[in-house]
Amino acid sequence: MIALNHFNQLPDDEAVALLQPCVAIPGWTAALVAARPFASIAALHQTAGDIAATWGHAELEQALSAHPRIGEKPAGSQAHAALSRQEQSAVDDRDTQLAAALREGNARYEARFGRVFLIRAKGRSGEEILHALEQRLTNSDAEEITAALEQLREITLLRLAGAIGE
Ligand SMILES: NC(=O)NC1=NC(=O)NC1=O
């Protein structure tokens, strides 16, 4: 984590590198870096949220390249893999019945919507995630793009809060 005033003063390339693990959407990172300096954390999150509110299907597909399936803790040392592991830490991967249900649910979701099921995992138990997956399987295509984008926005803003502090 770095302080806001430090972020405001970073060279563009370093500021971009700091924000990249928040979401794999270069347009979001570039726009946020270009909008500096921010007077407060609240202003930073307001702008980050406003940019995220413009995301559509294309941005969702772009971002999913960096999000492992729920229940599949990603290997690798990249920053976003470490963030995913931490975010999914409440999913008890020793619970083999839950793990099997998540795998089966992910497969049904991917067969239905053609992409990885995305949910803000931080603060949710494995059971809550499984319940949300079942609920969202009943969505129309359009409803589910909206639902997935809201989860992507929540994940992104949570990661931003972890990257830049007061
Ligand atoms: N497929 C996913 O939902 N992945 C993730 N959710 C999170 O909160 N972090 C992830 O990596």
Side-chain angles (χ1 to χ4, degrees):
M1 165 146 348
I2 68 166
L4 180 63
N5 63 3
H6 182 193
F7 171 70
N8 280 333
Q9 296 160 26
L10 283 178
D12 282 1
D13 61 333
E14 289 178 40
V16 165
L18 180 82
L19 292 180
Q20 263 165 350
C22 294
V23 69
I25 299 177
W28 179 83
T29 305
L32 208 51
V33 169
R36 295 180 301 163
F38 292 99
S40 66
I41 290 289
L44 169 69
H45 280 244
Q46 182 64 51
T47 302
D50 290 348
I51 300 166
T54 67
W55 291 342
H57 189 199
E59 287 77 13
L60 178 61
E61 295 295 340
Q62 196 176 25
L64 283 175
S65 62
H67 282 279
R69 288 187 183 86
I70 281 292
E72 289 181 4
K73 300 274 172 62
S77 58
Q78 305 96 321
H80 63 79
L83 285 166
S84 289
R85 279 193 298 274
Q86 188 271 333
E87 286 150 355
Q88 297 190 39
S89 56
V91 180
D92 178 1
D93 46 19
R94 291 160 305 171
D95 180 340
T96 52
Q97 193 175 356
L98 171 67
L102 282 171
R103 269 195 308 278
E104 192 271 335
N106 278 322
R108 275 191 291 130
Y109 182 96
E110 289 171 38
R112 166 69 182 84
F113 294 106
R115 59 178 181 273
V116 166
F117 170 66
L118 186 74
I119 189 167
R120 183 262 302 152
K122 197 174 184 78
R124 282 186 162 117
S125 69
E127 290 72 14
E128 286 167 330
I129 288 170
L130 196 54
H131 180 68
L133 199 165
E134 293 297 342
Q135 291 291 310
R136 284 174 48 191
L137 273 166
T138 65
N139 281 343
S140 69
D141 289 343
E143 286 167 348
E144 184 50 24
I145 285 174
T146 301
L149 280 168
E150 177 50 32
Q151 297 302 300
L152 180 64
R153 189 169 171 279
E154 286 184 27
I155 295 167
T156 302
L157 293 180
L158 279 170
R159 290 184 175 186
L160 179 63
I164 302 168
E166 293 298 345

